[in-house]
Amino acid sequence: MITTPRLILRQWHEGDFAPFAALNDDPEVMRFFPATLTRDESDSLAARFQDGIEERGWGFWAVESRENGEFVGCVGLHPQPDRFAFSPCTEIGWRLDKRFWHQGLATEAAQVCLDYAFVQLALAEVVSFTSVLNVPSQSLMKRLGMEKRGEFAHPALTTRDRLSQHVLYGKTRPA
């Protein structure tokens, strides 16, 4: 478990699955992903996040509000051993329910994840990537001190897909 002034990043609980599915079924939240997720797809993703944390001790954590225990979304780290030309790497990512947008919560959670990556895991670098169309996430990457490393066509999408072209950001461990 990792805490910030307003958030708790923790292992997934069964009670997180329904609000995570609602988040993944929201077209506005998922506008920079190929599609919204069905309940089964969302549950499978949450279970993979849960298994990753169980196996490694870290991953995409469930995020809850310290104030009221509400499920906020997920933020965390994920190994990408071989999927991309820039692999192996560890990515940082986030997905929050839109009720929690524009409050600085994604930045707060992502910053503590970067700290964890560099201090606890002693990673040399963390990357993040998104569609070139996803300006809000790119803005967050910049707020985290990440620098643009380039662009690439996402290997899971056809080149004709509007989301195919991605931007890669990275941050190296501070000296």
Side-chain angles (χ1 to χ4, degrees):
M1 181 178 358
I2 301 172
T3 61
T4 73
R6 299 182 290 169
L7 302 170
I8 298 170
L9 285 68
R10 56 163 174 74
Q11 176 61 289
W12 291 76
H13 302 152
E14 188 63 35
D16 300 326
F17 284 47
F20 188 57
L23 176 158
N24 288 321
D25 189 41
D26 185 323
E28 191 174 358
V29 172
M30 300 296 287
R31 71 186 182 277
F32 298 114
F33 289 88
T36 58
L37 302 182
T38 66
R39 176 65 193 255
D40 286 345
E41 291 168 332
S42 181
D43 287 355
S44 176
L45 181 60
R48 284 195 309 272
F49 290 163
Q50 196 174 42
D51 291 346
I53 294 168
E54 184 68 32
E55 176 185 314
R56 292 182 304 273
W58 55 273
F60 276 113
W61 288 286
V63 179
E64 76 176 55
S65 166
R66 288 182 71 170
E67 180 181 350
N68 58 21
E70 245 186 306
F71 179 82
V72 172
C74 66
V75 178
L77 304 162
H78 186 72
Q80 293 287 355
D82 56 15
R83 187 171 190 187
F84 302 102
F86 49 87
S87 292
C89 61
T90 299
E91 75 167 299
I92 186 170
W94 42 83
R95 189 177 308 171
L96 272 58
D97 186 293
K98 67 184 175 191
R99 295 175 300 124
F100 300 100
W101 291 358
H102 310 293
Q103 300 173 37
L105 297 175
T107 303
E108 186 174 319
Q111 185 58 61
V112 76
C113 288
L114 278 178
D115 295 344
Y116 184 90
F118 293 136
V119 176
Q120 301 299 320
L121 302 179
L123 296 178
E125 179 182 49
V126 175
V127 301
S128 191
F129 46 88
T130 189
S131 165
V132 296
L133 303 175
N134 190 346
V135 174
S137 277
Q138 290 181 59
S139 295
L140 176 51
M141 293 170 196
K142 292 174 188 174
R143 283 194 302 277
L144 294 170
M146 302 184 94
E147 297 176 346
K148 187 175 179 182
R149 301 281 165 86
E151 294 185 9
F152 67 100
H154 197 289
L157 301 171
T158 68
T159 55
R160 291 189 309 270
D161 191 302
R162 72 178 185 88
L163 299 174
S164 172
Q165 196 61 24
H166 271 53
V167 61
L168 173 67
Y169 278 76
K171 184 171 184 172
T172 55
R173 181 176 57 224

